[in-house]
Amino acid sequence: MPGIKKELTQLNTFAKKSYGQNFLSNKSKIDKIAEEILNNSTNDIIEIGPGLGAITEPLVNQKRNIICIEKDKVLIENLKNKFKLKKNITLINEDVLKIDFKSISSENSIIVGNLPYNISTKILIKFVNELHENTNKGIFMFQREVADKIIAKKIKKNQLSSKIKIFYEVKEILKVNENDFWPPPKIKSSVLLFTPKKISSNNLNMKELDKFLQCAFFSNRKKIVNNLANKYDKDRIFSILKKLRINDKARPEEINEDILFRIFIMINNNKF
Ligand code: SAM
């Protein structure tokens, strides 16, 4: 899109690959993403990687409070200039991976972003690890391949997608094509909505849950019992599966996330 190229040239900069800079140029897709964000009643929005402000602008104009985290110094200066008359925007020039989400979010903040592809999974893990006890929703764009794995019901399911779906309902809300960006990436993208499930996860040991899931998905072709037996007592696993009425021949990808979480809780509950 010439407009984006022109803006970058005027700023004496260029689209940086190392920062995953593919800027959204399709106006109707930008409007759709903004509409999905604005559909949520919350006033507080945190945007990761605002870039040139394509998604930011409609949000700022709707008078929501928006905090933007952008690593690129040139782009943050440009945004400061663009939105200098707006009081409802805070611009932070920082690497999002160094930001403590809890300290900048409120109970109802929604976290959004067309994520830099090279660190999109890291950002998602951070979102889940730091905010899973809260009620914060997320709306993020990922490369299609990653998005498909996250929403997969079977087969492509893995440790990461199961962890996310223990805590969130995940829904694809928009498909985005290569030519909806400038410069166009080599791959398609999808926008996913993450809605927190109401599960009680207070005092949850996330490191133990990670170890459990890593073990459960050690080999997708093996039965879950055999995978888990590498770390936990096999008889105990058999009796937990029996109690939960799970076929003991089931493979990890065949077990729904809520059940997986129950298995984890029961394994760690000494009274069982
Ligand atoms: N939101 C804009 C859009 O949709 O056109 C830009 C999206 S672009 C895919 C990703 C943005 O994230 C870029 O502006 C990039 O500079 C920024 N970014 C890359 N790595 C970052 C990091 N570690 N922390 C914060 N922002 C980052």
Side-chain angles (χ1 to χ4, degrees):
M1 159 114 179
I4 292 176
K5 197 174 175 188
K6 198 170 151 202
E7 191 171 348
L8 292 173
T9 309
Q10 278 167 355
L11 294 170
N12 219 356
T13 187
F14 57 96
K16 300 180 184 98
K17 248 195 174 159
S18 60
Y19 281 14
Q21 289 179 350
N22 299 99
F23 300 97
L24 264 174
S25 58
N26 181 323
K27 177 84 170 65
S28 68
K29 301 264 163 113
I30 294 170
D31 288 348
K32 174 80 182 126
I33 296 170
E35 188 188 310
E36 289 285 349
I37 298 169
L38 293 165
N39 267 344
N40 296 279
S41 53
T42 177
N43 236 351
D44 300 328
I45 301 168
I46 296 171
E47 187 188 4
I48 300 166
L52 292 167
I55 305 170
T56 326
E57 193 156 8
L59 306 177
V60 173
N61 290 341
Q62 288 301 315
K63 303 211 167 34
R64 303 293 169 98
N65 294 325
I66 170 157
I67 299 175
C68 295
I69 305 146
E70 170 60 63
K71 191 174 176 184
D72 189 320
K73 270 200 172 69
V74 179
L75 298 188
I76 214 91
E77 287 308 317
N78 178 49
L79 292 171
K80 276 185 191 162
N81 197 28
K82 227 179 222 181
F83 299 122
K84 61 176 179 250
L85 298 178
K86 307 283 182 184
K87 293 210 161 48
N88 54 329
I89 182 164
T90 307
L91 295 160
I92 304 175
N93 183 206
E94 185 53 281
D95 176 350
V96 67
L97 297 175
K98 294 191 182 142
I99 294 278
D100 171 9
F101 283 149
K102 267 198 180 150
S103 71
I104 59 164
S105 59
S106 70
E107 178 85 357
N108 294 315
S109 311
I110 177 164
I111 328 288
V112 306
N114 169 11
L115 300 181
Y117 287 161
N118 44 351
I119 53 166
S120 61
T121 312
K122 276 193 184 156
I123 297 173
L124 180 62
I125 293 172
K126 189 174 159 63
F127 167 75
V128 177
N129 283 350
E130 291 181 16
L131 296 177
H132 67 272
E133 285 172 3
N134 298 17
T135 51
N136 307 98
K137 284 189 188 176
I139 294 187
F140 303 119
M141 187 178 327
F142 298 93
Q143 54 273 55
R144 183 81 50 85
E145 199 192 332
V146 172
D148 285 350
K149 275 197 184 134
I150 297 171
I151 52 180
K153 294 256 182 306
K154 266 194 186 180
I155 304 175
K156 287 191 203 155
K157 242 166 73 166
N158 59 17
Q159 184 188 341
L160 173 66
S161 67
S162 294
K163 175 171 173 177
I164 293 157
K165 284 183 288 183
I166 284 174
F167 300 105
Y168 298 88
E169 302 283 353
V170 190
K171 194 174 132 198
E172 185 185 63
I173 51 175
L174 187 68
K175 288 194 196 302
V176 187
N177 296 320
E178 297 89 330
N179 288 330
D180 295 327
F181 297 93
W182 194 90
K186 292 199 176 73
I187 40 171
K188 297 187 188 304
S189 304
S190 294
V191 180
L192 303 183
L193 164 68
F194 297 79
T195 309
K197 289 181 180 173
K198 287 191 185 82
I199 64 162
S200 82
S201 56
N202 286 349
N203 301 323
L204 176 77
N205 186 333
M206 199 52 116
K207 285 212 172 93
E208 273 308 311
L209 177 62
D210 285 335
K211 281 188 203 157
F212 166 81
L213 291 172
Q214 188 179 18
C215 192
F217 283 92
F218 178 70
S219 166
N220 238 344
R221 273 181 253 133
K222 279 194 188 167
K223 295 177 204 159
I224 191 163
V225 181
N226 291 336
N227 282 342
L228 288 175
N230 290 324
K231 177 170 160 62
Y232 308 97
D233 179 71
K234 201 167 185 172
D235 291 337
R236 194 171 157 86
I237 300 159
F238 270 120
S239 62
I240 289 174
L241 293 184
K242 196 169 172 202
K243 182 138 199 199
L244 293 173
R245 297 198 182 141
I246 304 293
N247 183 341
D248 58 26
K249 294 191 176 53
R251 291 162 202 239
E253 63 190 19
E254 293 170 327
I255 301 186
N256 148 305
E257 293 70 32
D258 299 340
I259 300 286
L260 262 181
F261 190 55
R262 286 185 68 188
I263 298 174
F264 167 73
I265 297 288
M266 286 167 92
I267 282 183
N268 285 284
N269 180 352
N270 294 331
K271 278 183 246 136
F272 179 77

